Amino acid sequence: MFKFSLYLIFLIFYLFPISLDFAQEETSYSVWTEQNFLIFYHPQAKKLVKELAKFYNLKYKEFIQQWANKINSPITIYLTTSPEEFKRLTRGSSPDWGEGVALVDRNWIVLKVDYQADLTKIYRIATHELVHLLLHASVNNTNIPRWFDEGWAMYNSQRWQWQQVLSLGRAIITNSLIPLENIDQVLR
């Protein structure tokens, strides 16, 4: 009887999906479906989405082969165009200057994109957020120190550039390095 009840519940939700998801309330999206990704985007971004889907598939496979565990359900990616849309989808969890957020508890990536922007920049941000999701999935969502989480995402997205090297060098010379145990408060 219990199995039948469970089956019936799943069948009802499958046949009559109920959106518990506030993300789709105010904005109409098109959806690009891949084996490991669902990409929600505005229709004018179709060309970008095709490129981004190819890129995400390559990065996903690369990270799975190198260090990450496979995620069982598709990753949902939202491409937003306005600060309000970005803030609503991220539940306000990103600073104003933020360009991407990985919502680990939802298996979501939300990117603030300019559809005319350089693809290299978009790829770097997309990779950074994908690394967050895969890292957390690889450790079964146990608590990861923020400094490691951000550092691993920066390393894998190749965001560690001369500006960061110079900043680190300046902090060493001026004896103003922040102790690792204090980094969590700085990055929040």
Side-chain angles (χ1 to χ4, degrees):
M1 182 66 176
F2 179 73
K3 272 184 159 179
F4 177 74
S5 298
L6 225 83
Y7 177 74
L8 186 60
I9 290 170
F10 284 120
L11 184 63
I12 289 170
F13 279 111
Y14 180 75
L15 293 175
F16 307 101
I18 299 171
S19 178
L20 300 175
D21 186 352
F22 64 90
Q24 298 174 31
E25 288 174 3
E26 298 172 27
T27 308
S28 65
Y29 291 99
S30 296
V31 182
W32 185 280
T33 305
E34 293 281 331
Q35 180 180 355
N36 299 305
F37 302 99
L38 294 173
I39 303 175
F40 290 82
Y41 64 97
H42 298 284
Q44 67 268 27
K46 186 146 189 158
K47 183 179 175 189
L48 170 64
V49 170
K50 286 174 83 170
E51 295 300 317
L52 197 56
K54 275 194 268 183
F55 178 79
Y56 262 124
N57 280 312
L58 288 172
K59 280 298 181 186
Y60 184 82
K61 288 174 186 168
E62 175 186 326
F63 292 150
I64 296 300
Q65 289 174 350
Q66 292 176 357
W67 59 267
N69 290 342
K70 191 171 184 174
I71 295 179
N72 294 328
S73 59
I75 295 169
T76 301
I77 302 163
Y78 285 93
L79 303 182
T80 67
T81 55
S82 72
E84 298 79 26
E85 181 184 16
F86 183 75
K87 187 174 186 172
R88 182 173 47 83
L89 287 167
T90 61
R91 299 177 267 175
S93 65
S94 177
D96 291 338
W97 49 263
E99 297 174 295
V101 172
L103 298 171
V104 176
D105 60 324
R106 291 186 149 199
N107 205 27
W108 282 14
I109 294 172
V110 182
L111 302 175
K112 188 186 328 176
V113 296
D114 172 1
Y115 294 142
Q116 307 305 316
D118 176 33
L119 274 178
T120 306
K121 179 182 178 183
I122 295 171
Y123 288 164
R124 198 173 283 142
I125 297 164
T127 302
H128 184 94
E129 302 310 330
L130 177 62
V131 169
H132 284 306
L133 286 185
L134 292 174
L135 177 61
H136 282 266
S138 294
V139 296
N140 296 319
N141 292 320
T142 57
N143 194 19
I144 300 170
R146 187 72 176 231
W147 61 266
F148 183 81
D149 192 4
E150 285 301 326
W152 189 243
M154 286 185 73
Y155 173 77
N156 280 282
S157 64
Q158 300 171 343
R159 288 183 84 174
W160 189 257
Q161 298 174 347
W162 281 109
Q163 181 182 358
Q164 284 79 20
V165 172
L166 292 173
S167 293
L168 181 59
R170 190 177 318 116
I172 291 169
I173 290 169
T174 61
N175 199 25
S176 58
L177 285 173
I178 300 169
L180 289 179
E181 60 269 7
N182 297 344
I183 292 287
D184 274 0
Q185 286 74 34
V186 173
L187 292 173
R188 298 229 181 254

